[in-house]
Amino acid sequence: YRFIKGSDNLNIGFVAQHIEKALIDSGITDLPLISTDDKGMYALDYNQITALNTLGHLDHEERIQKLENELAIANALIQSLLIQQSTV
């Protein structure tokens, strides 16, 4: 996005209102990630957003590892059953 109309500077960031909605939809209402000034302008606390994103990433990595382990066990069981069936 361009922070100032007519500026050539391109910025990368989040739309605070989108983050606010996502947090509310997730049931997260007690984190001070978003603030508004007296003019109604939104601001994000990027340090906390980074921490929240990192925590989510770590949770997903743990879940992926668990699912990969379960898949390996299921595949081993399938192979065992196929071998048993071929010897019958």
Side-chain angles (χ1 to χ4, degrees):
Y1 68 92
R2 304 220 186 278
F3 188 69
I4 300 172
K5 287 185 180 182
S7 171
D8 289 335
N9 295 334
L10 183 61
N11 297 285
I12 298 173
F14 298 104
V15 176
Q17 292 87 337
H18 294 172
I19 299 296
E20 181 179 50
K21 182 178 181 331
L23 290 171
I24 291 169
D25 290 348
S26 299
I28 300 171
T29 58
D30 57 345
L31 294 177
L33 299 173
I34 301 168
S35 60
T36 54
D37 65 15
D38 56 347
K39 295 178 185 176
M41 296 295 292
Y42 283 71
L44 291 173
D45 183 335
Y46 277 87
N47 289 329
Q48 291 195 41
I49 293 286
T50 300
L52 190 59
N53 281 341
T54 301
L55 179 61
H57 175 75
L58 293 173
D59 286 345
H60 285 129
E61 285 295 318
E62 184 178 318
R63 185 171 180 201
I64 289 168
Q65 186 63 49
K66 181 181 174 189
L67 291 170
E68 286 177 343
N69 290 342
E70 289 175 5
L71 180 60
I73 291 168
N75 282 335
L77 179 58
I78 290 168
Q79 289 301 315
S80 174
L81 292 172
L82 289 173
I83 290 169
Q84 286 179 6
Q85 185 181 19
S86 68
T87 60
V88 173

